[in-house]
Amino acid sequence: MTLFAGMATVGYMDAEAGASKRMLSVVDAPHHFELKHYHDSHIDLASKTSGSVSEFYADDKVCVLAGGLVENSPELLGIPADRSNTGRILADAYKKWGESLVDHIFGEFTFAIWDKQNRSLFCGRDRFGKMPFSYEATDDGILFSTDFIAVAMGQSSVPIVNSSWIVGYIKDSVLDQESTPFERIKKLPPACVMTWCNGDLVVRQYWSFDDIGPCFESLDASVLLSHLEHSVEHRMLGSNNVAMLSGGLDSTSIFVLARDLQNKKSQKPISSVSLVFDDLLEEDERPFIDCILGQGEADPHFVNAQEYDVISAIDRLVRIQGGPYAGIGAPILVQAIDRLEYLGFESVLDGHGGDEVISSPGAMRHFELANEGKWITLISEMRQLLRHSEIGLSEMVGAFASHYGAKGRGVSARLVRKFYWKLKALNKAEPTTSLLNPDWNTHDSASLADRIAKKWLGTSHENERSYQQFVLSGPLQSDAFERLHRLYRSRGIRAEFPFWDHKVVSYCLRVPSDQKLRNGVPRSLIRSAMGRRLPPMIANRISKFDFSDAHIRSYQSSIQKIQEYASSPGHVAFDYVDHSVFSSAVLNLQHERIQIRKEAHRKVWTTLNLMLWFDMIAQFEPLQKAD
């Protein structure tokens, strides 16, 4: 794992020696040492590494800062190279192909290449945005880093908050792939490269999901299984690996593949770590975890999730992330990550992305059947889905009425349409009070967040392929990668996400919807690929546990501290948050209805993150030049 930062200046200015080192000093990464530094008249670069793999390289032609791995490095260049150094691989690739090198490499990477001869900077990010890159271009030059907080601290003045980003955060939306919590600081979007030369900046996209071929006519599950096995094997770096194991389809599949691969190459069993709730059994997945561990050949570790001090947990997360954190489950996940650090693991296989990439439930299958007028098939599919999911009969009837009322023809369709609207009125959910300060309701970012929310409903998409492509290519994915990397990195652990392998993603996107929702069985793709390698208890599982109450009880035990924050209506966070809504949410944390407690939990989480982040950046001062 590598962090890097840099400063490049235009011809009339000298780069400040050591600026990049000070930029990195503000990043929360206590396990990163071995600082590498390069400086000449117009460039200052620094890199910090955790572990034995170096990703910095310099020679008489280039200086390369890199993070991550190039998957196809052994067969890529055909020339001798130090395969343990991503910087060296990218240097050789740049000398061979120039800026088109990104067309030849795959993996999870981010890089900055300083061309000493042309005095130019060439930077890039992998196709899915698994590794982060942020920058700020000014008239005097450019600041860049793997962390936007480092760029913010490299500014010559106190950074300005990005109000549009904050509005999106409050509305639980990531608005785009470029914005950060600070004005003028941008992220390089996934699958993009950036060239900077003496003040001229060009950003271009080198790949898109549209480049993936058309849907298959039929499914060959053995091909998908082969891609998954290769992805897991490639990411089992060294011998000090551990797999997250929750008992769900996704994490269990990754664990099983890793376990079987480990058995082939070593007598040492694969290690696993699982979160359990021994004093909250209705939310505990231990029966599913024990089921897979019962097959043997594993070294399991369990983390009994504990109550936590909410204010301290959020303050820690804000400092790790450099900004407010959206994932309300993070305080419990951090408990597992802390245990991984204690046990000395360096690399973790994480099942993040399974739902989006491979375990898609085939959400658009019913829309496709309705669009084609295949009503008998649709009814049959829905009847079978009732048996294989937690969806209730009234919900299913309402879904059919919605489809038939919208796409059907004639008198029957009109009658069903009337029935649907009556049913919808009867089941109308209680309106949710917006957390956003009303002064921001007409802001463009609020309208954009609402449009994005509607797209997540699926009705604006033509078919399963277009919907899944929207999900995979959306800004939420790269944002989640960035946040997860920071969480693991804060404890010196490298996170690997096998579902986000290029071949796996490309294959899954081409699978027809009838293979994802097959005979009423959702998530059929992962079940077909894994076959009998999963025990029946997990292969036939239809449920997912909701851990909300595990978090809410921590909020209830911290209620006095939370109420102190609610009694500060003059805090700058309430320029964006409706203080009265927040105060009501604090009271509702102890409401008797679980749904009201859940809604209150999210609002309190969002507000406290903003308040503690504003408190943190109030202490920011621009980095001063060295004497």
Side-chain angles (χ1 to χ4, degrees):
M1 292 186 298
T2 295
L3 303 170
F4 63 74
M7 167 191 289
T9 58
V10 294
Y12 58 81
M13 291 196 65
D14 290 332
E16 178 199 344
S20 56
K21 291 193 288 187
R22 291 197 302 282
M23 288 166 66
L24 288 181
S25 69
V26 301
V27 178
D28 189 312
H31 293 266
H32 284 67
F33 305 104
E34 298 184 23
L35 183 68
K36 305 285 186 180
H37 181 244
Y38 174 85
H39 176 82
D40 69 19
S41 57
H42 295 297
I43 191 78
D44 191 80
L45 307 172
S47 172
K48 295 173 82 171
T49 301
S50 171
S52 59
V53 178
S54 174
E55 294 170 346
F56 175 92
Y57 178 79
D59 59 24
D60 60 337
K61 291 184 171 56
V62 296
C63 184
V64 182
L65 303 173
L69 292 171
V70 176
E71 290 178 7
N72 56 328
S73 58
E75 68 274 14
L76 178 65
L77 298 170
I79 57 177
D82 179 1
R83 301 306 175 192
S84 67
N85 189 327
T86 304
R88 170 69 185 274
I89 294 168
L90 291 169
D92 290 341
Y94 180 73
K95 293 170 187 175
K96 184 173 183 178
W97 291 298
E99 294 187 2
S100 65
L101 73 90
V102 287
D103 298 326
H104 301 272
I105 61 176
F106 295 90
E108 46 196 62
F109 55 80
T110 185
F111 64 82
I113 300 175
W114 176 248
D115 188 316
K116 297 181 179 180
Q117 181 176 357
N118 297 329
R119 314 293 295 172
S120 64
L121 185 69
F122 178 60
C123 309
R125 197 173 177 195
D126 65 74
R127 287 163 174 77
F128 305 137
K130 288 184 280 187
M131 302 296 289
F133 185 97
S134 298
Y135 68 96
E136 181 194 3
T138 68
D139 292 340
D140 296 333
I142 187 169
L143 299 167
F144 59 91
S145 177
T146 46
D147 271 73
F148 62 78
I149 194 70
V151 178
M153 294 302 288
Q155 294 178 332
S156 58
S157 59
V158 176
I160 302 171
V161 300
N162 184 347
S163 293
S164 293
W165 187 96
I166 294 172
V167 170
Y169 172 75
I170 294 172
K171 291 183 73 67
D172 197 26
S173 180
V174 181
L175 300 180
D176 58 58
Q177 294 180 317
E178 294 184 88
S179 298
T180 72
F182 299 104
E183 287 281 5
R184 300 194 303 269
I185 300 176
K186 295 182 178 181
K187 296 177 184 178
L188 183 65
C192 284
V193 292
M194 176 182 80
T195 304
W196 181 92
C197 184
N198 200 33
D200 293 328
L201 177 68
V202 177
V203 175
R204 68 174 177 87
Q205 184 176 2
Y206 65 86
W207 180 86
S208 80
F209 283 87
D210 292 332
D211 297 332
I212 296 174
C215 285
F216 300 118
E217 293 184 1
S218 61
L219 170 69
D220 186 346
S222 65
V223 175
L224 177 55
L225 179 60
S226 176
H227 290 331
L228 277 172
E229 287 178 323
H230 174 81
S231 176
V232 172
E233 183 175 22
H234 179 78
R235 288 163 176 80
M236 292 176 67
L237 304 175
S239 58
N240 198 12
N241 303 294
V242 63
M244 299 292 282
L245 179 60
S246 70
L249 271 171
D250 299 329
S251 71
T252 301
S253 297
I254 296 300
F255 169 79
V256 167
L257 295 174
R259 179 198 64 195
D260 295 348
L261 288 166
Q262 180 87 346
N263 290 341
K264 291 179 181 178
K265 68 177 184 178
S266 171
Q267 294 184 354
K268 179 183 177 182
I270 187 70
S271 296
S272 66
V273 65
S274 303
L275 276 164
V276 294
F277 299 83
D278 287 342
D279 57 343
L280 200 65
L281 297 180
E282 64 272 18
E283 296 193 359
D284 194 18
E285 291 193 287
R286 190 184 282 272
F288 295 95
I289 297 167
D290 288 343
C291 173
I292 191 65
L293 292 175
Q295 296 179 333
E297 301 169 332
D299 175 28
H301 302 275
F302 296 94
V303 179
N304 186 28
Q306 303 292 318
E307 287 188 27
Y308 52 87
D309 178 89
V310 173
I311 305 301
S312 298
I314 294 178
D315 184 66
R316 174 182 172 185
L317 286 167
V318 165
R319 295 182 185 280
I320 290 172
Q321 298 294 334
Y325 191 73
I328 59 177
I332 287 181
L333 174 60
V334 165
Q335 294 180 30
I337 296 174
D338 286 347
R339 179 64 63 85
L340 294 179
E341 178 194 26
Y342 174 78
L343 294 171
F345 291 109
E346 297 176 355
S347 175
V348 59
L349 297 170
D350 190 302
H352 169 70
D355 282 342
E356 297 88 348
V357 174
I358 190 172
S359 297
S360 166
M364 292 297 294
R365 170 66 175 158
H366 292 166
F367 284 94
E368 292 178 10
L369 291 173
N371 287 336
E372 296 168 10
K374 296 181 178 179
W375 304 113
I376 302 300
T377 304
L378 176 58
I379 292 172
S380 176
E381 288 271 1
M382 286 185 157
R383 287 180 60 191
Q384 294 182 80
L385 183 58
L386 278 172
R387 297 165 48 204
H388 300 290
S389 73
E390 296 181 297
I391 299 175
L393 178 60
S394 61
E395 186 179 352
M396 193 67 73
V397 170
F400 177 79
S402 172
H403 292 313
Y404 192 65
K407 300 294 183 179
R409 297 289 183 270
V411 176
S412 60
R414 289 197 294 272
L415 291 174
V416 169
R417 196 153 42 242
K418 289 181 180 179
F419 167 76
Y420 169 70
W421 285 112
K422 288 184 179 180
L423 185 67
K424 189 172 182 179
L426 287 173
N427 296 324
K428 187 176 181 180
E430 296 179 10
T432 300
T433 307
S434 174
L435 184 61
L436 185 66
N437 188 314
D439 292 343
W440 291 94
N441 283 334
T442 58
H443 194 270
D444 289 345
S445 53
S447 301
L448 177 58
D450 292 337
R451 292 197 298 273
I452 292 173
K454 288 180 180 179
K455 274 190 165 287
W456 275 97
L457 298 176
T459 54
S460 60
H461 302 276
E462 296 179 358
N463 50 44
E464 172 71 18
R465 168 83 182 245
S466 70
Y467 179 64
Q468 188 179 14
Q469 188 164 318
F470 159 75
V471 172
L472 295 178
S473 61
L476 184 63
Q477 301 304 332
S478 56
D479 185 74
F481 279 127
E482 187 169 343
R483 294 176 184 277
L484 284 170
H485 272 299
R486 288 199 189 99
L487 280 183
Y488 283 110
R489 185 193 66 198
S490 69
R491 291 298 172 259
I493 299 165
R494 179 184 178 85
E496 300 285 354
F497 307 105
F499 283 123
W500 281 90
D501 175 86
H502 184 264
K503 289 182 179 179
V504 173
V505 172
S506 298
Y507 191 92
C508 292
L509 195 60
R510 300 179 67 185
V511 172
S513 63
D514 62 350
Q515 300 298 313
K516 295 178 179 178
L517 180 61
R518 191 174 185 181
N519 298 323
V521 180
R523 300 158 64 88
S524 291
L525 190 53
I526 186 68
R527 302 178 204 265
S528 297
M530 294 302 296
R532 296 182 178 178
R533 298 175 76 167
L534 296 178
M537 183 179 182
I538 293 174
N540 299 325
R541 185 178 179 183
I542 62 174
S543 63
K544 282 192 172 185
F545 282 124
D546 181 353
F547 304 121
S548 295
D549 255 6
H551 296 285
I552 291 170
R553 61 179 179 171
S554 292
Y555 282 67
Q556 291 171 340
S557 64
S558 302
I559 195 68
Q560 186 172 352
K561 289 185 179 179
I562 295 173
Q563 287 172 341
E564 291 175 6
Y565 279 84
S567 63
S568 304
H571 196 283
V572 65
F574 296 113
D575 290 348
Y576 300 92
V577 170
D578 188 322
H579 179 262
S580 63
V581 175
F582 171 61
S583 298
S584 297
V586 173
L587 293 175
N588 285 337
L589 287 172
Q590 301 184 77
H591 200 279
E592 61 182 16
R593 290 176 57 187
I594 178 62
Q595 197 56 45
I596 292 178
R597 293 199 303 270
K598 286 182 180 180
E599 183 182 330
H601 170 214
R602 179 166 290 281
K603 289 177 178 177
V604 173
W605 167 270
T606 299
T607 305
L608 290 177
N609 264 267
L610 272 177
M611 295 181 78
L612 290 167
W613 178 64
F614 274 118
D615 290 347
M616 182 185 80
I617 63 175
Q619 304 169 22
F620 278 14
E621 294 181 4
L623 293 175
Q624 302 299 317
K625 291 187 177 182
D627 294 332

